[in-house]
C-alpha cells in the first residue's frame, strides 16, 4: 500500500470514527490497515461500553472515570499502543500513539482484546483475563497504583464471596 493510500485510509477511518462515534475522537491516526481494523472494532465496542458504563460497579469505573489509560496490544508484528481517555466514566477519545501521562498501562494480546469485545459478559471476560495473566495492568503514577490496588481489592472480594 502506498503512503498516500495509507494516509487516505487513515483519514477516512478517523472521519468515520468521529462521525459514527457521536463525538468520539481519534488522534494521531497514521495507522496500518490492521490498526485501522482494530480501532474500528474498538469503536463499535466503545459505543456499547459507553451505553452500559453506568451499570458497571463504581469501584471499577470510578478510579479511572476522568483519566487516561494506555492499552498495549502485543503481537508478533510489534506493539500497538492505544491511548484511551475517559470522561465521566465513558470513553471519549482514542490516541493511536498512546496518551501523555497515562495513569495505568494495560498490556494484552489481540486475541484477548477480541475475546473481551465479543463476550456477552465483557466484565467477566476481562476479569478472567486478569486472573489467567493474559491481561496485566501496571500503575504508571502513584495515584494510578493506588487506584489499581482498589480495583484489585474489589476483584479479590468478589472472588472471596464467590461472585
Amino acid at each position: 500500500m502506498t503512503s498516500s493510500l495509507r494516509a487516505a485510509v487513515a483519514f477516512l477511518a478517523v472521519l468515520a470514527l468521529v462521525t459514527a462515534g457521536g463525538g468520539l475522537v481519534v488522534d494521531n491516526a497514521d495507522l496500518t490497515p490492521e490498526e485501522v481494523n482494530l480501532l474500528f472494532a474498538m469503536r463499535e465496542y466503545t459505543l456499547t461500553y459507553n451505553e452500559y458504563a453506568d451499570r458497571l460497579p463504581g469501584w471499577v469505573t470510578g478510579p479511572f472515570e476522568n483519566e487516561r489509560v494506555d492499552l498495549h496490544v502485543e503481537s508478533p508484528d510489534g506493539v500497538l499502543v492505544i491511548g484511551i481517555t475517559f470522561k465521566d466514566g465513558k470513553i471519549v477519545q482514542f490516541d493511536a500513539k498512546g496518551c501523555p501521562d497515562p495513569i495505568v498501562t494495560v498490556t494484552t494480546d489481540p486475541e484477548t482484546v477480541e475475546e473481551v469485545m465479543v463476550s456477552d459478559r465483557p466484565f467477566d471476560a476481562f476479569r478472567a483475563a486478569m486472573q489467567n495473566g493474559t491481561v496485566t495492568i501496571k500503575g504508571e503514577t502513584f495515584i494510578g497504583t493506588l487506584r489499581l490496588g482498589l480495583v484489585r481489592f474489589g476483584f479479590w472480594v468478589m472472588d472471596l464471596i464467590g461472585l
Side-chain angles (χ1 to χ4, degrees), residues 37-51:
N37 289 339
L38 179 61
L39 281 174
F40 268 110
M42 289 181 70
R43 178 192 58 89
E44 291 301 318
Y45 178 73
T46 296
L47 297 175
T48 301
Y49 171 85
N50 283 347
E51 184 178 325

Side-chain angles (χ1 to χ4, degrees), residues 29-66:
D30 182 18
L31 306 173
T32 68
E34 293 80 19
E35 292 168 336
V36 169
N37 289 339
L38 179 61
L39 281 174
F40 268 110
M42 289 181 70
R43 178 192 58 89
E44 291 301 318
Y45 178 73
T46 296
L47 297 175
T48 301
Y49 171 85
N50 283 347
E51 184 178 325
Y52 292 100
D54 296 332
R55 297 180 192 171
L56 292 171
W59 57 266
V60 172
T61 58
F64 308 105
E65 70 180 351
N66 292 309

Side-chain angles (χ1 to χ4, degrees), residues 1 5 19 21 25 29-30 38 42 44-45 56 59 78-80 91 93 105 125 129 134 138 141 145 150 159 161-162:
M1 179 179 285
L5 182 58
T19 303
V25 177
D30 182 18
L38 179 61
M42 289 181 70
E44 291 301 318
Y45 178 73
L56 292 171
W59 57 266
V79 177
L80 171 62
I91 298 171
Q93 182 172 338
T105 297
T134 57
K138 176 184 165 210
T141 65
T145 301
L150 290 172
D159 290 340
I161 61 176

Side-chain angles (χ1 to χ4, degrees), residues 82-154:
I82 301 171
I84 304 170
T85 301
F86 292 87
K87 175 120 173 102
D88 299 325
K90 298 187 177 174
I91 298 171
V92 295
Q93 182 172 338
F94 287 122
D95 186 321
K97 302 300 178 196
C99 291
D101 305 318
I103 193 166
V104 296
T105 297
V106 178
T107 304
T108 191
D109 55 56
E111 295 79 20
T112 302
V113 172
E114 182 72 20
E115 285 174 22
V116 170
M117 288 192 303
V118 300
S119 174
D120 291 337
R121 301 181 64 150
F123 177 76
D124 293 333
F126 182 79
R127 183 172 155 215
M130 284 183 63
Q131 289 171 332
N132 71 27
T134 57
V135 167
T136 60
I137 306 175
K138 176 184 165 210
E140 296 295 341
T141 65
F142 179 71
I143 296 296
T145 301
L146 287 176
R147 291 180 182 178
L148 179 56
L150 290 172
V151 171
R152 285 185 174 140
F153 178 75

